[in-house]
Amino acid sequence: MDRKEEFVGIVNREMNSVFNLAYRLCGNYHQAKDITQETFLRAYQSFDRFEGRSKIFTYLYRITCNVWKNTLRKKKIQNFTSYTAGLNTRKIEDIPAAENMFPDERTQNDAKNRIVQKCLDSLPAGDRAIIVLRDMEGRSYEEIAGILNCRTGTVKSRLARARQKLAEKILPFREDLNQ
Amino acid sequence: MKLHGNMRLFSLYIDGELDKKLKDSVALHIETCDECRKTVEMLKGTRDLLSRTGRIQAPADLARDIMDNIPETKPSALPVKKFYLPVFGTIALLIAAFLVMHNRTQEIQIARAPVHERPPETAKGAAIPELQQEKRPVDEVKRKNEEETVSQPGAYHKPFALKEKGTSLEKPVDRLSDTSRAREGTKVIAREEGTGKALAGAASAPSSSLKTEGQYCIIGEGGKKVCSSASSVSDEVSGTETAKITEARPLPNAMVIRDKKEWSSIWNTQNTLQNLTLPLPDVDFKEKMVVAVPSRQADNEYTVVNTIEEKDKIVVQYKELPLQKLAPPPYQLNVVNKKPSVEFQKID
């Protein structure tokens, strides 16, 4: 099996995870698709250098986070807290659905998902990445440290901070979410 | 450890990442503290909410799109993106520049000659007819028979000899490396009296501010310049300059450099003129000064034969020879102990 065939297997196996991470990070279906494609393209370009010392998902997630950060820089969307203005007074129905959704997404995009995603979007980029990796993707502290290229202690501190911020943002919607 | 309101601890607690002792402490605390218990419950509720949130299904055509984007060629071992090209280019240029400088520095072949003791009678100048009329008592004579040379591409190669009448102190610096000979290039560079320590570098034309045709100048401390023609000394700046040249024979354009600023200036100018980038040799101008002797004037070339340190002056002995075909380096730089005056003596 040559390298390309091996890579095709990785795409089929990891594509959903990468896309889901990309979507949770950027909050946009189309953008998530672009990030996923870019991630696999970059992974393929440097695939010969991947020696298997880290797990393949760590390798892919690290690229995903880097592609996403580059996207933020390019679009100069550094401040994701703009939505927090008046967020506490909003109702679920006030929260707009994501733009340019595919029909498939609309069916998946139930009320809870929309609330969670919008609250995530209101977090700073760094906090969002760490909380998505830990609480949505279920990665260990060590794996997150490897993906984000930081120390485990930093992951623990930042995760606590991110959770606190997210909890405060979700609090007004707690009743809706418990339904 | 403080438990109350410790968010990091609570976050680790709900993840089950605390050791048993700490875990029990937190559990005990939140049992008794309503505020912290609510915080922990809130964190736990948020975490559970996120973990329950369904995964988004990737578009059905995503796999095909990914594979369509992947080139048919083999994965690159080192993908070079357009973004990185300027960066890599700059780095490559810097490395190339460093290697060129490094190689050039390594090309400097320093040959050291043994130290010869000068016979006392010649030290006093008795064997030099031209100087007999100006014989002075020599309190302290230090002979520096150590000549140091560096090879420079395309530079002039001339055995540097120390020769005196009736003596056999010839000391050709003929122990240069084959490399330096092959390049036909050897030039006398700055040297330090007493230690014979070579100051790597190249000599070249003086900066225009220092050059005064038909004169030789002393660059004094504070950048003041005293120039002299023939046997007279004139103070161009003020009467505060104490350094003087008393010469047995005039040596136009010879210079004495007494501060780092002028030293740096002449060194940089010479480097530039000869397309070199040699680092500035460190000279302690509190104790030392630099005597710069022009290697050529008109149809003659000059070679410093000896520097003699006396009580209150430095005597620089030089030889005048017909100009050779290959141009010698503009200046021979000699680092000597600091003295109020410098005397230039031409010897045959």
Side-chain angles (χ1 to χ4, degrees):
Chain A
M1 186 168 62
D2 65 13
R3 293 292 269 174
K4 186 164 184 178
E5 285 179 15
E6 186 183 350
F7 191 76
V8 170
I10 291 170
V11 170
N12 291 329
R13 206 166 52 243
E14 303 291 342
M15 183 184 65
N16 275 325
S17 296
V18 171
F19 176 82
N20 198 59
L21 174 65
Y23 177 78
R24 291 303 178 190
L25 291 175
C26 71
N28 182 289
Y29 199 79
H30 286 303
Q31 203 177 355
K33 193 180 172 188
D34 290 343
I35 290 173
T36 306
Q37 287 190 41
E38 178 70 17
T39 297
F40 280 106
L41 180 61
R42 286 195 191 185
Y44 183 74
Q45 285 172 335
S46 57
F47 193 47
D48 273 2
R49 286 183 289 157
F50 177 69
E51 297 170 348
R53 280 182 292 194
S54 60
K55 292 177 182 174
I56 188 68
F57 73 81
T58 307
Y59 177 64
L60 292 171
Y61 278 22
R62 189 184 303 143
I63 297 173
T64 307
C65 288
N66 288 335
V67 171
W68 169 61
K69 286 174 188 171
N70 288 340
T71 308
L72 292 181
R73 285 193 202 102
K74 283 178 188 172
K75 295 189 175 182
K76 297 183 180 178
I77 310 174
Q78 296 289 359
N79 185 3
F80 278 78
T81 57
S82 59
Y83 192 74
T84 56
L87 182 65
N88 291 353
T89 61
R90 287 180 177 234
K91 300 294 181 187
I92 296 175
E93 52 269 26
D94 297 330
I95 299 173
E99 295 173 2
N100 303 319
M101 281 184 177
F102 285 145
D104 284 349
E105 187 194 14
R106 288 184 190 280
T107 58
Q108 296 168 353
N109 195 40
D110 58 18
K112 285 183 183 177
N113 254 339
R114 288 167 59 187
I115 293 171
V116 169
Q117 189 59 48
K118 285 300 168 186
C119 290
L120 277 175
D121 289 350
S122 68
L123 291 178
D127 290 347
R128 198 185 324 165
I130 212 158
I131 208 165
V132 166
L133 287 168
R134 174 67 189 177
D135 290 341
M136 301 187 91
E137 296 296 321
R139 299 302 167 189
S140 70
Y141 293 130
E142 290 75 19
E143 287 169 344
I144 296 169
I147 292 166
L148 299 179
N149 196 25
C150 60
R151 292 184 299 180
T152 309
T154 308
V155 172
K156 290 174 181 175
S157 302
R158 285 171 58 185
L159 178 65
R161 221 169 30 237
R163 277 175 172 166
Q164 186 183 12
K165 286 181 190 172
L166 187 64
E168 288 167 0
K169 294 186 185 303
I170 285 178
L171 198 57
F173 303 102
R174 185 63 69 185
E175 286 183 11
D176 296 322
L177 291 169
N178 288 336
Q179 284 177 0
Chain B
M1 182 183 287
K2 179 190 169 189
L3 294 176
H4 183 75
N6 191 331
M7 206 58 67
R8 189 174 190 270
L9 213 55
F10 296 159
S11 179
L12 292 170
Y13 174 76
I14 63 172
D15 280 348
E17 294 283 339
L18 294 177
D19 59 40
K20 189 175 184 309
K21 186 180 176 185
L22 209 49
K23 183 182 173 184
D24 291 344
S25 299
V26 173
L28 187 64
H29 176 73
I30 61 177
E31 273 182 20
T32 57
C33 178
D34 284 346
E35 186 183 344
C36 288
R37 186 173 63 251
K38 285 177 184 175
T39 301
V40 169
E41 285 172 357
M42 184 178 72
L43 290 177
K44 195 169 184 298
T46 304
R47 187 203 61 178
D48 293 345
L49 174 68
L50 290 176
S51 61
R52 283 199 310 269
T53 304
R55 294 175 72 88
I56 304 295
Q57 191 65 33
D61 57 350
L62 183 58
R64 190 196 63 217
D65 290 346
I66 290 169
M67 297 317 297
D68 286 348
N69 278 340
I70 288 177
E72 286 301 318
T73 53
K74 287 182 179 179
S76 166
L78 184 63
V80 180
K81 298 192 71 177
K82 286 180 183 176
F83 173 77
Y84 293 114
L85 283 176
V87 178
F88 287 150
T90 306
I91 292 170
L93 281 174
L94 288 173
I95 291 171
F98 172 77
L99 289 175
V100 167
M101 285 182 65
H102 184 67
N103 287 340
R104 184 162 286 183
T105 305
Q106 283 192 333
E107 281 175 4
I108 296 173
Q109 305 291 328
I110 299 176
R112 294 196 172 205
V115 176
H116 298 267
E117 289 301 325
R118 188 181 188 187
E121 64 276 11
T122 58
K124 292 178 180 177
I128 306 173
E130 296 91 329
L131 303 180
Q132 284 180 357
Q133 56 184 343
E134 291 191 14
K135 274 195 290 185
R136 294 176 176 83
V138 179
D139 300 312
E140 184 183 338
V141 177
K142 286 187 179 178
R143 285 294 306 272
K144 178 159 65 76
N145 291 333
E146 199 171 30
E147 302 296 341
E148 295 171 345
T149 61
V150 292
S151 68
Q152 297 292 339
Y156 174 69
H157 179 208
K158 177 174 176 288
F160 188 79
L162 176 65
K163 193 183 282 183
E164 293 189 20
K165 283 184 179 178
T167 63
S168 181
L169 294 178
E170 190 167 348
K171 184 183 68 61
V173 182
D174 206 11
R175 285 170 288 144
L176 301 169
S177 69
D178 290 344
T179 306
S180 65
R181 285 201 200 92
R183 291 173 178 273
E184 295 182 347
T186 303
K187 68 173 59 174
V188 178
I189 57 152
R191 61 184 184 177
E192 187 170 331
E193 190 182 50
T195 63
K197 181 183 174 185
L199 302 177
S204 74
S207 63
S208 58
S209 63
L210 303 174
K211 191 174 184 179
T212 309
E213 190 62 34
Q215 294 181 324
Y216 46 94
C217 304
I218 295 174
I219 308 301
E221 288 166 355
K224 291 178 179 177
K225 183 171 70 173
V226 175
C227 292
S228 171
S229 61
S231 58
S232 66
V233 176
S234 64
D235 191 336
E236 284 188 345
V237 181
S238 69
T240 56
E241 176 59 62
T242 56
K244 291 180 180 176
I245 292 176
T246 54
E247 71 287 351
R249 296 286 291 269
L251 180 56
N253 287 337
M255 291 188 295
V256 180
I257 299 162
R258 292 178 184 273
D259 64 43
K260 193 171 183 179
K261 185 180 175 185
E262 293 297 342
W263 175 232
S264 174
S265 172
I266 192 171
W267 189 268
N268 290 337
T269 306
Q270 289 166 347
N271 264 335
T272 305
L273 289 173
Q274 295 196 100
N275 200 25
L276 296 172
T277 54
L278 295 165
L280 179 72
D282 188 29
V283 177
D284 179 11
F285 283 102
K286 288 180 181 173
E287 303 288 336
K288 305 282 183 182
M289 61 185 186
V290 178
V291 177
V293 175
S295 297
R296 59 180 295 181
Q297 299 282 342
D299 294 329
N300 295 321
E301 67 177 54
Y302 299 92
T303 301
V304 174
V305 174
N306 193 20
T307 56
I308 304 167
E309 182 180 328
E310 298 184 0
K311 186 178 181 181
D312 56 353
K313 68 180 177 184
I314 295 292
V315 177
V316 178
Q317 296 180 332
Y318 65 94
K319 289 177 76 173
E320 184 180 287
L321 299 167
L323 187 63
Q324 307 266 331
K325 283 185 178 179
L326 290 170
Y331 267 81
Q332 299 159 64
L333 303 171
N334 299 268
V335 179
V336 295
N337 285 332
K338 196 172 185 178
K339 296 290 176 185
S341 64
V342 177
E343 180 181 304
F344 291 94
Q345 295 177 349
K346 179 184 170 186
I347 62 172
D348 292 329

